[in-house]
Amino acid sequence: SSDLKSSYLRIVNDLPIMKKYQPWLGARMTVHPDTVDRIYDNLLHLAGLGINQFLIGPATGLKWSDRGLDIYRDQMIRVIGWLKSELDQGRHFRVNTLEENVAMLGGKENFWGCRAGRHSITVTARGTIFPCSKMLGVDNLEGVYPLGTLDEGITEIYNRLSLCGMVPVDRQTCLDCRWGDTCMGGCFATNYQATGSLFGPDPFECRLKSRTMEIARAAEEILGSKFFQDLSEKRNIIFSAKK
C-alpha cells in the first residue's frame, strides 16, 4: 500500500507476488555486532516469510569482540539444528554459509585467496580491467592490481599470475596458523585494506576462522558429511528448481 514507507515493509508486502513467480527465494544476512544474538530468531522470521536460501556472515570493517564472535558461532550452531529439523520434515532450505564452511574444512580448494582475477573481473567506465569491484574501490578509489584495458587486453601479467597463485609469496602468518591447510586466505581487497598487502590476512578474518571451523565441524556432526556430498552432486538440480 502507499503508506508503506520502509523499504523492508515494501519488500515484505510484495513477497507473496514474488513467491508466485519465483518460488525459491534467497536472502543475505549480514550480521552486525549489536544484533548477532538474533541470528536464529531473524532466520526463523525470514523463513516464515517464504525465504528458502540463506547466506549468513558477520559484517566486516567493524569492531568485533571475541565474545561477539563466540555468539555468532553459537547462533550458527542453533541454525544447523533448525536446518536438520526442517529437512527431516521434508521442507526445503539451504544455508550456503554451512556448505562453504564444510568445503573449507575438507580442504577441497587448492588455491589461496578469493577468486578475484581468476574467475572474475571488473571493468571501469574508462575500460580499465580490475580483478573485482572491491579491489577497484580501495587505495582512495584508485584501485589495486589492475590487469589491463579493454583496448589492450590483459597486459599486467605479473598481477594476474600473483592472483592465480603462480608467484611465490611469503605468508608466514598463514604457515604458522593451525588452519593453514584449510583457510583460503580471505578477500584480497579486505586484506589490502587491513594490512596493505593482498596476501597479508586481515586479523579479523583470522579470529573469525576458528569459529568458522567450529561451525563447520558442528554441521558435519549434526547433518552428516554425506549430506554435503549429496548436496554438491545435486547442486545443478537444486538450482534448476529455482526457475
Side-chain angles (χ1 to χ4, degrees):
S1 62
S2 59
D3 62 342
L4 292 177
K5 297 180 180 180
S6 164
S7 59
Y8 171 80
L9 291 176
R10 293 182 63 183
I11 292 172
V12 169
N13 188 58
D14 290 339
L15 273 178
I17 298 175
M18 297 171 64
K19 288 285 290 185
K20 178 180 178 180
Y21 293 98
Q22 174 58 288
W24 188 275
L25 297 177
R28 181 181 182 90
M29 297 175 62
T30 301
V31 184
H32 191 278
D34 293 341
T35 60
V36 66
D37 60 339
R38 299 204 293 270
I39 292 176
Y40 177 75
D41 291 337
N42 288 339
L43 180 140
L44 293 184
H45 173 70
L46 292 174
L49 293 175
I51 303 299
N52 309 90
Q53 188 164 334
F54 303 89
L55 181 60
I56 311 168
T60 59
L62 301 175
K63 291 184 179 180
W64 280 85
S65 66
D66 286 336
R67 175 58 180 158
L69 292 176
D70 286 345
I71 295 174
Y72 167 71
R73 175 201 60 209
D74 296 343
Q75 286 281 305
M76 289 302 297
I77 292 176
R78 288 190 69 188
V79 168
I80 297 169
W82 166 85
L83 179 61
K84 177 172 175 49
S85 175
E86 293 297 308
L87 295 177
D88 286 347
Q89 296 179 62
R91 301 188 183 96
H92 300 289
F93 291 99
R94 288 184 64 190
V95 182
N96 297 64
T97 317
L98 301 178
E99 299 166 28
E100 295 169 2
N101 292 348
V102 171
M104 285 191 293
L105 186 64
K108 296 178 182 179
E109 302 285 3
N110 58 3
F111 55 81
W112 194 94
C114 62
R115 299 173 182 269
R118 183 187 294 108
H119 293 168
S120 67
I121 59 171
T122 290
V123 181
T124 71
R126 296 182 178 180
T128 305
I129 302 172
F130 281 90
C132 74
S133 58
K134 292 185 70 173
M135 292 173 73
L136 170 62
V138 300
D139 200 20
N140 296 318
L141 300 182
E142 292 295 325
V144 291
Y145 274 61
L147 297 178
T149 66
L150 288 181
D151 290 335
E152 299 180 355
I154 303 297
T155 55
E156 301 293 340
I157 304 301
Y158 184 86
N159 288 351
R160 179 79 198 292
L161 293 177
S162 298
L163 295 168
C164 291
M166 300 180 69
V167 175
V169 177
D170 181 12
R171 299 193 299 270
Q172 192 62 44
T173 301
C174 300
L175 292 176
D176 295 337
C177 177
R178 62 182 296 201
W179 305 113
D181 292 336
T182 56
C183 177
M184 298 301 103
C187 165
F188 285 132
T190 300
N191 290 347
Y192 185 87
Q193 288 176 303
T195 67
S197 167
L198 301 187
F199 307 101
D202 178 0
F204 164 73
E205 294 293 337
C206 294
R207 292 169 57 220
L208 175 62
K209 180 57 61 178
S210 62
R211 280 80 172 182
T212 300
M213 294 297 97
E214 289 171 355
I215 293 168
R217 284 174 171 165
E220 274 200 323
E221 180 179 342
I222 295 172
L223 294 169
S225 57
K226 188 176 186 302
F227 165 79
F228 293 98
Q229 295 171 358
D230 292 345
L231 183 59
S232 178
E233 295 171 359
K234 298 175 182 177
R235 192 180 303 274
N236 291 335
I237 298 175
I238 293 174
F239 281 132
S240 65
K242 297 180 183 181
K243 299 180 181 178

